[in-house]
Amino acid sequence: MTNEIILAIETSCDETSVAVVRGGKEILANVVSSQIEQHKQFGGVVPEIASRKHTEQITYVLEKAFKEANVAWDDIDAIAVTEGPGLVGALIVGVNTAKALAFAKNKPLIAVHHIAGHIYANRFESEFEFPLLALIVSGGHTELVLMENHGTYELIGETLDDAAGEAFDKIARALDLPYPGGPHIDRLAHEGEETIEFPRAWLKNSYDFSFSGLKSAVINFIHNEKQRGNVINKADIAASFQASVVEVLTEKTFEAAMQYGVKQVIIAGGVAANKGLRKAIVDKFSDSNIDVYIPPIQLCTDNAAMIGAAASILYQERQFAGWDLNAKPSLPLI
Ligand code: KG4
Ligand code: ZN
């Protein structure tokens, strides 16, 4: 194990986070300042508000991380930051902070892909065994990524429209539940029954996903029920909707894991908190010899420690970024 100490910054969406990570596996501090309260009243993330909040929070979060980790600038070997993908105005705050600090303190700068970060969140839990398959499901992402080794990523499937979390949030909104809706749907789903047959977009011979047809079907169902004057059974709708999302995610992950003969499957991103998905994936793989790992919730959602873990691999390979580093809102995962 290496023992470099990396200061990591994550500001790609609505969490301002700074972490201090040793050797890619040990969290010395992981401070996360969430903006959910600010965005809640609008029913989703407002990019301009996100940028402004990051600017307000970043110095405070940085100071808190230093205090918690009990480190000084001399202890820091490199500064890592999420360069993309994400909201451009939000990413810029992290990238510029990292560049300014790296320049002022004469430290190497490391640019990290946000999805690589989500995958490496699991390295705090267990060592990777390759080949490895990661399912990343969050408010902004739904991706199946194959890794043959550290730092190599092959995107084998992604959503063609809405991200899984986005679908949860939109259905929650249609059911008058607060933002973010995923946890509310999850809770209700366990109180209801799967009484409605909503569609599953299998997209045959592909590991891609699509949730827009399902979203329209659920919204139409709610609309029709309301027009008929029927009482909406939110719990049954939540259970039926969640069953459709969970089945597609689970089956596609299983098929891909079999085809590529992987040793490990990792589930990451905010939707990995979903109880139905966790149980379905664990059950599906229980008879296989593939190990399934799901990081603890606080490492599944956006945080800077995961960026520090992914950066550790780049640090060892001396893959440093130049002063021309910029935010890349649609950065592909290569
Ligand atoms: O990873 P994350 O914190 O932020 C992004 O990078 O997007 O994921 C947030 C998403 C939201 O869409 C939220 O509704 C969803 O994760 N989520 C859940 C659950 N907890 C959070 N979705 C389904 N079930 C949950 N229990
Ligand atoms: Zn994320």
Side-chain angles (χ1 to χ4, degrees):
M1 187 178 140
T2 55
N3 63 356
E4 82 285 339
I5 295 184
I6 294 180
L7 178 78
I9 301 175
E10 154 67 41
T11 63
S12 69
C13 191
D14 60 345
E15 333 276 350
T16 315
S17 182
V18 177
V20 181
V21 174
R22 179 159 45 207
K25 282 181 157 192
E26 189 190 347
I27 300 175
L28 303 184
N30 188 21
V31 180
V32 181
S33 165
S34 172
Q35 305 175 354
I36 283 183
E37 284 308 315
Q38 275 78 39
H39 298 289
K40 219 174 192 167
Q41 58 182 310
F42 303 104
V45 176
V46 183
E48 288 79 2
I49 296 178
S51 317
R52 191 165 356 115
K53 277 281 147 196
H54 285 309
T55 314
E56 283 171 21
Q57 287 293 311
I58 192 75
T59 317
Y60 165 73
V61 174
L62 179 72
E63 281 175 1
K64 204 166 167 209
F66 263 91
K67 252 190 215 135
E68 269 184 29
N70 199 16
V71 290
W73 274 109
D74 276 351
D75 302 321
I76 304 291
D77 293 300
I79 298 174
V81 64
T82 307
E83 65 168 335
L87 300 170
V88 66
L91 288 163
I92 278 176
V93 178
V95 168
N96 284 343
T97 304
K99 278 166 77 170
L101 291 172
F103 187 76
K105 302 293 180 185
N106 198 22
K107 308 283 180 188
L109 188 62
I110 302 175
V112 176
H113 193 286
H114 185 74
I115 298 299
H118 273 301
I119 297 171
Y120 272 84
N122 192 65
R123 200 149 175 249
F124 297 115
E125 296 300 299
S126 103
E127 191 43 272
F128 286 0
E129 277 189 59
F130 303 107
L132 169 162
L133 181 72
L135 171 70
I136 295 100
V137 270
S138 74
H141 303 278
T142 305
E143 274 121 21
L144 270 172
V145 177
L146 181 69
M147 287 178 73
E148 299 281 358
N149 213 328
H150 279 298
T152 68
Y153 311 95
E154 189 188 341
L155 186 65
I156 62 165
E158 63 185 328
T159 183
L160 303 179
D161 38 62
D162 288 353
E166 205 177 345
F168 270 95
D169 294 340
K170 286 178 178 167
I171 297 307
R173 200 172 179 171
L175 290 172
D176 298 322
L177 300 168
Y179 174 84
H184 297 280
I185 298 269
D186 196 10
R187 176 180 45 78
L188 274 177
H190 287 84
E191 294 167 12
E193 298 281 337
E194 195 198 333
T195 52
I196 312 144
E197 183 66 30
F198 287 131
R200 275 110 170 107
W202 292 113
L203 309 179
K204 284 237 156 46
N205 303 320
S206 153
Y207 292 121
D208 286 338
F209 301 93
S210 167
F211 297 108
S212 68
L214 168 64
K215 184 186 68 189
S216 303
V218 180
I219 290 173
N220 283 341
F221 179 86
I222 297 170
H223 183 73
N224 289 341
E225 287 295 289
K226 277 186 180 163
Q227 282 213 324
R228 285 191 201 115
N230 293 342
V231 178
I232 307 280
N233 186 330
K234 290 188 185 183
D236 285 356
I237 295 173
S240 306
F241 160 75
Q242 183 162 304
S244 169
V245 176
V246 166
E247 191 181 331
V248 175
L249 291 175
T250 306
E251 290 302 320
K252 289 207 174 218
T253 304
F254 187 75
E255 270 175 44
M258 290 299 142
Q259 183 187 333
Y260 291 98
V262 301
K263 294 200 175 111
Q264 280 184 350
V265 166
I266 291 171
I267 322 290
V271 184
N274 187 272
K275 290 192 202 75
L277 178 65
R278 294 170 89 101
K279 184 177 181 314
I281 297 253
V282 169
D283 286 353
K284 185 83 192 170
F285 284 91
S286 62
D287 290 338
S288 73
N289 48 10
I290 299 169
D291 294 324
V292 176
Y293 292 100
I294 309 172
I297 307 297
Q298 70 274 19
L299 293 177
C300 276
T301 50
D302 289 351
N303 68 88
M306 68 186 198
I307 302 303
S312 167
I313 303 298
L314 298 168
Y315 180 85
Q316 285 155 36
E317 293 169 355
R318 298 290 182 267
Q319 286 194 43
F320 299 131
W323 298 122
D324 56 350
L325 178 67
N326 206 347
K328 299 186 184 72
S330 323
L331 183 68
L333 180 70
I334 316 167

